[in-house]
Amino acid sequence: MEQERKKLARVFASRLAELMEQRGIKAIDLAARLKVHQSRVSRWLSGEQFPKIETLPSLAEILGVTVDYLLGASDHPQEYVRWNADLEERLRWHLQEAGFDKAAQDVILGLAPKVSRPRNE
C-alpha cells in the first residue's frame, strides 16, 4: 500500500506542477483561490501531502481537468473513467487520509459513481 501511495503522490504532484506551469498559475495564486496556505500547495507539489477530498473538485475546476486526471485514474485531462473497484479503493484511501470515518466514506462513495461520469451523460 505504501508503494501505491508514493506512486500516486508522484503522479499527482507531477500533474499539478505541469498544469500550473501550462496555465501560468503560481502556488500563491492557487492557494488564494482555494483558500489554503501557500505552504499546503508546496507540500502537494512535493508529493508530501494530498489535498483534502473536498478540495479536489475545486482544484480540478481551476486547472480545467477532471479529478480522475489529477489522481492518475485517467491519462486524459477531460475524460472521465468508469467506476470500478480500483477507483473506489483509491478514493476510499484518500477519504481515510483526509480523516473521514467509515460511515462518511460510505456515504461519499455511494454518491461518487453518479458524479464520476461526464455531465452530459
Side-chain angles (χ1 to χ4, degrees):
M1 189 65 153
E2 186 60 26
Q3 283 183 334
E4 180 66 26
R5 182 195 176 292
K6 287 180 181 178
K7 179 182 174 188
L8 186 60
R10 282 192 307 270
V11 169
F12 175 81
S14 172
R15 289 186 177 183
L16 178 60
E18 180 182 320
L19 290 164
M20 287 173 62
E21 184 177 330
Q22 287 173 357
R23 286 150 179 78
I25 299 173
K26 295 181 178 174
I28 193 165
D29 298 325
L30 183 61
R33 290 180 71 181
L34 292 170
K35 297 181 173 98
V36 299
H37 196 275
Q38 181 181 350
S39 64
R40 187 171 304 263
V41 174
S42 295
R43 288 192 296 269
W44 299 343
L45 289 165
S46 71
E48 184 182 326
Q49 272 188 356
F50 288 106
K52 291 182 178 182
I53 193 80
E54 59 268 19
T55 304
L56 286 172
S58 297
L59 180 58
E61 184 177 335
I62 290 167
L63 297 171
V65 297
T66 65
V67 172
D68 295 335
Y69 180 77
L70 283 175
L71 297 179
S74 170
D75 287 330
H76 305 284
Q78 298 300 320
E79 183 177 295
Y80 290 76
V81 298
R82 295 217 181 274
W83 190 256
N84 61 44
D86 182 54
L87 180 58
E88 181 170 340
E89 183 180 327
R90 285 182 183 186
L91 290 175
R92 187 172 293 279
W93 180 86
H94 282 288
L95 290 169
Q96 184 177 353
E97 287 290 307
F100 289 91
D101 65 19
K102 174 123 173 48
Q105 292 174 29
D106 291 342
V107 169
I108 293 167
L109 290 172
L111 297 172
K114 296 175 183 132
V115 296
S116 67
R117 296 185 184 100
R119 293 182 180 159
N120 61 3
E121 259 190 16

